[in-house]
Amino acid sequence: IEGRWLNFLPPIQGGRFGRYHGEDDCAIVESKSNASSKISSPSLSPLFDTEDTRSHGPSSRNAARSHELSPTSSVSSLDLEHADAEDQKSYMDEYTQGEIDSDLAKYPALDPMTQDGIVNRYRGLDQQIKAEGLYNCNYTAYGNEMCRYTFLFGMCFVFLDFDWYLAAGLSMGAFWHQLVFTAHDAGHMGITHDFTIDTVIGIIIADFLGGLSLGWWKRNHNVHHIVTNSPEHDPDIEHMPFFAISHRFLTSLRSTYYDRIMTYDPFAKFVVRYQKYLYYPILTLGRFNLYRLSWEYLLLGQAPKNGPAWWHRWLEIAGQFFFWTWYGYFVVYRNIPTASGRFAFVMASHMITGSLHVQITLSHFAMSTADLGVNESFPQKMLRTTMDVDCPPWLDWFHGGLQFQAIHHLYPRIPRHNLRRTQKLVQNFCKDVGIPYALYGFIDGNKEVLGKLGQVGRQAAILAECQRTIADKGKHGHHH
């Protein structure tokens, strides 16, 4: 490729492409506001405003450079017939535009010169990271990790010998909590940097010891890294009907990952209004859902059938049987004689892993979900949609690298034990290019997440009240 690469607006976002007829002919790209409605389900997919429409936005700064911006998403794609429905749609569109304007005001301009400068500096930082050896894995650190894993696993059986089932369950859950960090490293090829070796390491940890599918996680997580915090595309924020971190989920969006409508049904309408209060209780049960997703991946043909990964599915299935044999049969059934003891052990071992789900969601739930279009550079988008968690070095074992998610999203294959050393380099990069670096303490980060959940919950309540008012008006008009 010679010269600057220009991103096209994807067809799923309304981009229109003509046929390629030869070397001198280029694909024709159009951006039309009704394009996505033709390719997606009614009232669910994003509506993409044209540049002319955007130029009349409320922000003078945005208006001045509107000709440089590519179309970005708003809320609904259905041409509604009723005026009341149009009012709801207009309200949602205005709120979406407000989020876009807010991000445009806080982050660097999207013109090619500015974004090219960010990309060039980002590539330069990559070379600096390589020169300082930060892509090299610190294997000594994994020796310490192994000692921690062995201690937690061993303590589980010590407590079982004393019939302390809650304590045993907590030890088992802490063991799983710590294992996930190394499975995450292996999934990103951050240990040996060899696809096959790291995959086998990850499968042994995730499937054989944890009962979760590494293949499912990689399929899910790779998409998350590409389209971070995109309501339509990122499975890591698609948790309807339990959580909605954007008002756009209140419009029954279509998930391109799950290929289904995330219906905003009566159950979702109730739960989302109170999601701020249900956040921690629901996350304590999150591991049970991961079992379901793992088996769906392995049994419903989602795993690779060809190529170098064709055999991973069979190794994972063997790992699943191994896990449920040692955990389900030998530990739970054979070692715990009473039903109440088994229940206490299973629930304790699973609920304690809720802290991990908090750590995972913390980095993204409070951050922007706005789409600034195809002109935004990769590093700017990653830093705009991801936060880091400030903690002392002696707590790094607890967070397992998840406290450096912004850095990890910029350079996913940096081994986690080197992320703290990389942080200073990334902070200097952010200062140089003018991109805000989101860094919160663990408690403050949780407050940000709860604030976002509460905000969307209030929007859900307002929307429900509007719908009731519309219904009442309809009944009143019918009587008269």
Side-chain angles (χ1 to χ4, degrees), residues 207 213 293-301 313 316-317 320:
D207 292 86
S213 168
L293 292 170
S294 295
W295 279 107
E296 281 185 0
Y297 171 82
L298 294 173
L299 297 180
L300 299 184
R313 173 173 176 259
E316 288 202 81
I317 291 176
Q320 292 293 319

Side-chain angles (χ1 to χ4, degrees), residues 218-230:
K218 289 175 70 173
R219 180 175 184 262
N220 178 288
H221 200 65
N222 289 342
V223 174
H224 162 68
H225 270 264
I226 295 171
V227 287
T228 307
N229 265 28
S230 172

Side-chain angles (χ1 to χ4, degrees), residues 287-297:
R287 192 174 185 88
F288 294 107
N289 185 51
L290 299 185
Y291 292 142
R292 177 186 67 84
L293 292 170
S294 295
W295 279 107
E296 281 185 0
Y297 171 82

Side-chain angles (χ1 to χ4, degrees), residues 21 65 85 256 440:
H21 297 291
R65 68 180 191 207
T256 59
Y440 293 88

